[in-house]
Amino acid sequence: MGLLTGKMALITGGSRGIGEAIVRKYASEGASVAFTYRSSSEKADVIVAELTKAGHQVKAYQSDAANFAQAETLIKQVLEDFEKIDILINNAGITKDNLIMRMSEEQWDDVITVNLKSVFNLTKQVIRHMMRNRAGSIINMSSVVGISGNAGQSNYAASKAGIIGFTQSIAKEVGSRNIRCNAVAPGFIETDMTHGLDEKTKETFLAGIPMNRLGQAEEVANVCLFLGSDLSSYVSGQTLSVCGGLQV
Ligand code: NAP
């Protein structure tokens, strides 16, 4: 028996990085898993094929989390395919870094829409179902940058800080229906998102991490496992940092 046996989870952005690690962790702990991607259909197919072969129930959906209508269609389809959603993980996210002097309106809008509006889109569509079930766990992927801010990432920091306020509000709105809502704030995790950072930025980040190393996607997935499982049955409205002790 896994920690998630009998539960069904929907994870946005599950084709790479942290999302992929969550998909694999959740499947290995007994959950049936639906995950989305925006364009990595080949990667998604490989993940589904591997996990299905290992006996897990997993399905991938191409769906732009930033698009309200697509979120509505997605939730309908997932409920048709799996009949229920116990856990929603709003993980999809992007960066478009620039100093404010150079940041374009497009860079601002893209990051706010993909990172923050997506969390509204999916939560809005799933909440009625969870309220009917009188159960649910929603996990929103924030960032330590949403707590501390970061030069060159004002759009990203604003989106991730917005997620924390949203999380606290939803926890207050639906706690009485036995629906929990928490945020996870990863520090510097080794994924495609951080591979693109220049060496100077990486060194600056590393200098501030007491554990003196970058984090792995699986270490974030482990915290999502805790928040999705009944081990965290009285945890709601919180932001859990996964950052190797980084002071923010
Ligand atoms: P990543 O490796 O770049 O993967 C991003 C994932 O999100 C991919 O599966 C991508 O799909 C998907 N995605 C992007 N835009 C989407 C959209 N509009 N609709 C649906 N899916 C979309 O990123 P990551 O490092 O794993 O980050 C995952 C989350 O953790 C993000 O919210 C990020 O902000 C947060 N985070 C990461 C770090 C870090 O250090 N890596 C730190 C703090 C917070 P495709 O493959 O199709 O593009």
Side-chain angles (χ1 to χ4, degrees):
M1 286 277 281
L3 282 170
L4 299 175
T5 298
K7 292 196 192 285
M8 192 281 154
L10 169 61
I11 298 153
T12 65
S15 50
R16 292 185 284 122
I18 293 170
E20 177 182 356
I22 300 169
V23 169
R24 291 182 183 279
K25 177 68 61 179
Y26 268 48
S28 73
E29 289 291 335
S32 43
V33 177
F35 73 88
T36 69
Y37 58 93
R38 187 175 42 180
S39 53
S40 303
S41 56
E42 281 176 23
K43 275 231 70 184
D45 288 346
V46 170
I47 296 167
V48 171
E50 274 180 30
L51 292 175
T52 306
K53 198 174 167 200
H56 304 297
Q57 200 191 350
V58 179
K59 193 166 175 186
Y61 302 79
Q62 182 167 31
S63 180
D64 181 357
N67 184 303
F68 187 78
Q70 287 188 33
E72 187 177 15
T73 309
L74 171 74
I75 297 296
K76 277 191 190 139
Q77 191 59 56
V78 171
L79 284 173
E80 255 180 48
D81 295 343
F82 289 86
E83 292 176 359
K84 64 170 187 164
I85 299 171
D86 300 304
I87 304 160
L88 166 66
I89 305 186
N90 286 307
N91 166 76
I94 56 167
T95 50
K96 292 203 173 175
D97 298 350
N98 222 335
L99 296 170
I100 190 66
M101 289 286 285
R102 294 193 204 126
M103 187 175 291
S104 67
E105 184 183 6
E106 193 184 4
Q107 286 174 323
W108 174 269
D109 286 346
D110 284 354
V111 168
I112 296 294
T113 312
V114 173
N115 293 7
L116 181 58
K117 188 180 176 225
S118 63
V119 177
F120 163 75
N121 290 344
L122 273 295
T123 305
K124 163 96 182 150
Q125 297 301 337
V126 90
I127 207 76
R128 197 182 298 274
H129 169 76
M130 287 184 171
M131 283 173 89
R132 254 197 312 265
N133 278 358
R134 288 199 158 264
S137 174
I138 300 169
I139 302 165
N140 298 322
M141 203 55 71
S142 179
S143 165
V144 290
V145 166
I147 301 169
S148 65
N150 195 26
Q153 288 197 304
S154 58
N155 52 357
Y156 185 76
S159 73
K160 295 301 184 181
I163 285 176
I164 294 173
F166 181 85
T167 299
Q168 291 166 332
S169 304
I170 298 303
K172 288 183 177 173
E173 276 187 38
V174 295
S176 64
R177 308 294 183 103
N178 193 34
I179 301 169
R180 301 182 293 108
C181 185
N182 291 288
V184 174
F188 194 169
I189 311 299
E190 269 189 277
T191 67
D192 292 347
M193 186 176 271
T194 46
H195 286 161
L197 291 175
D198 60 80
E199 284 309 311
K200 193 165 165 271
T201 311
K202 281 187 189 173
E203 275 168 30
T204 313
F205 267 121
L206 258 181
I209 301 172
M211 289 188 73
N212 204 26
R213 66 171 177 86
L214 308 188
Q216 298 302 312
E218 192 185 358
E219 296 177 295
V220 181
N222 284 335
V223 173
C224 294
L225 170 61
F226 168 67
L227 290 174
S229 80
D230 294 339
L231 288 179
S232 59
S233 52
Y234 200 50
V235 181
S236 194
Q238 305 305 305
T239 301
L240 248 165
S241 293
V242 190
C243 59
L246 183 73
Q247 291 300 312
V248 289

